């Protein structure tokens, strides 16, 4: 007689996507108007210094190459990773912080997974590889949509989810990340300046 495959039973205890990713309680903080960013312009000027200009262009090429080699993970992959992070328990890993630990530190319960908006996440991921006014506009639009969905906390959630997914090893396993990848979230934080209560 064939043995029973218990692997499929592992999913019985886990909640469905509809439950895990249903919208959380809307934010109660007052809405603030969206104003232009005072930190980053749509057409970012390159440095006048030739050496600095070459460095900026080289870093942008490295980031674009990274995004081309590592397309945005699928919605199912991201939701599985987020669900695992939300339900993970135990002591922190030695010498590293995980998205799970960040969620606990921020007080984000599993119900906050409802903030996750894959289309916005994907737009942000893909925009990392482009230096053009369109990338800036896509990043601003995604930030506005996330703010409307769940306020500043929803924006923070995506800011950190993007950073940990791009830079950590839990989503992109064993991939060497160039230095500009680690700075992309910081760039995004500046682009979002002035969206509601978000300040760079």
């Amino acid at each position: 007689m064939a043995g029973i495959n218990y692997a499929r039973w592992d999913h019985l205890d886990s909640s469905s996507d509809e439950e895990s990713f249903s919208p959380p309680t809307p934010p109660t903080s007052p809405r603030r108007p969206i104003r232009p960013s005072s930190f980053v312009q749509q057409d970012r000027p390159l440095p006048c210094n030739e050496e600095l200009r070459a460095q900026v262009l080289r870093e942008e090429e490295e980031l674009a190459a990274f995004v081309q080699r590592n397309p945005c993970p699928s919605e199912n992959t991201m939701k599985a990773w987020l669900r695992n992070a939300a339900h993970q328990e135990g002591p922190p890993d030695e010498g590293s912080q995980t998205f799970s630990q960040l969620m606990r530190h921020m007080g984000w319960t599993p119900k906050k997974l409802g903030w996750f908006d894959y289309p916005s996440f994907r737009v942000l991921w893909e925009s990392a590889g482009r230096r053009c006014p369109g990338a800036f506009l896509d990043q601003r639009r995604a930030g506005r949509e996330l703010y409307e969905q769940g306020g500043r906390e929803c924006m923070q959630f995506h800011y950190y989810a993007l950073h940990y997914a791009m830079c950590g090893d839990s989503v992109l396993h064993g991939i060497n990340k160039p230095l500009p990848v680690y700075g992309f979230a910081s760039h995004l934080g500046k682009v979002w300046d002035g969206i509601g209560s978000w300040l760079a």
Side-chain angles (χ1 to χ4, degrees):
M1 182 169 129
I4 299 172
N5 180 4
Y6 290 97
R8 63 189 182 88
W9 290 9
D10 291 344
H11 301 290
L12 295 178
D13 289 336
S14 64
S15 56
S16 67
D17 274 357
E18 289 77 20
E19 293 172 359
S20 294
F21 293 91
S22 59
T25 306
T28 56
S29 58
R31 291 288 187 210
R32 294 188 182 176
I34 294 171
R35 53 187 173 74
S37 172
S38 57
F39 282 91
V40 178
Q41 293 82 34
Q42 183 172 332
D43 297 309
R44 287 181 295 155
L46 287 167
C48 295
N49 179 290
E50 285 186 28
E51 196 173 314
L52 289 176
R53 176 189 293 258
Q55 181 179 344
V56 167
L57 292 173
R58 186 169 52 251
E59 289 178 357
E60 289 177 351
E61 287 172 8
E62 288 177 3
L63 185 56
F66 171 83
V67 172
Q68 188 173 13
R69 286 191 313 268
N70 302 284
C72 184
S74 70
E75 183 171 5
N76 288 340
T77 297
M78 286 307 304
K79 285 186 171 180
W81 175 66
L82 290 168
R83 194 181 305 109
N84 182 55
H87 295 285
Q88 193 173 23
E89 295 179 3
D93 296 335
E94 288 283 327
S96 67
Q97 186 183 43
T98 64
F99 188 68
S100 177
Q101 293 161 8
L102 177 76
M103 284 190 71
R104 290 198 298 272
H105 174 75
M106 300 293 283
W108 293 338
T109 64
K111 287 185 177 181
K112 300 299 185 182
L113 294 181
W115 278 327
F116 184 63
D117 181 69
Y118 181 74
S120 294
F121 180 88
R122 184 172 180 161
V123 162
L124 295 172
W125 185 291
E126 292 173 350
S127 74
R130 295 184 291 138
R131 185 192 199 278
C132 61
F136 174 86
L137 294 173
D138 286 345
Q139 292 161 4
R140 289 285 291 181
R141 179 175 47 80
R144 284 194 309 270
E145 289 171 0
L146 294 172
Y147 182 73
E148 290 302 322
Q149 179 180 318
R152 188 176 188 279
E153 274 194 308
C154 181
M155 294 171 71
Q156 270 186 313
F157 183 88
H158 286 78
Y159 174 94
Y160 286 117
L162 186 72
H163 178 73
Y164 277 85
M166 276 187 158
C167 301
D169 289 326
S170 50
V171 176
L172 300 178
H173 311 286
I175 294 173
N176 190 22
K177 289 97 179 174
L179 198 58
V181 174
Y182 294 90
F184 178 64
S186 176
H187 162 76
L188 189 62
K190 292 174 184 172
V191 172
W192 282 354
D193 180 61
I195 297 178
S197 56
W198 188 277
L199 297 174

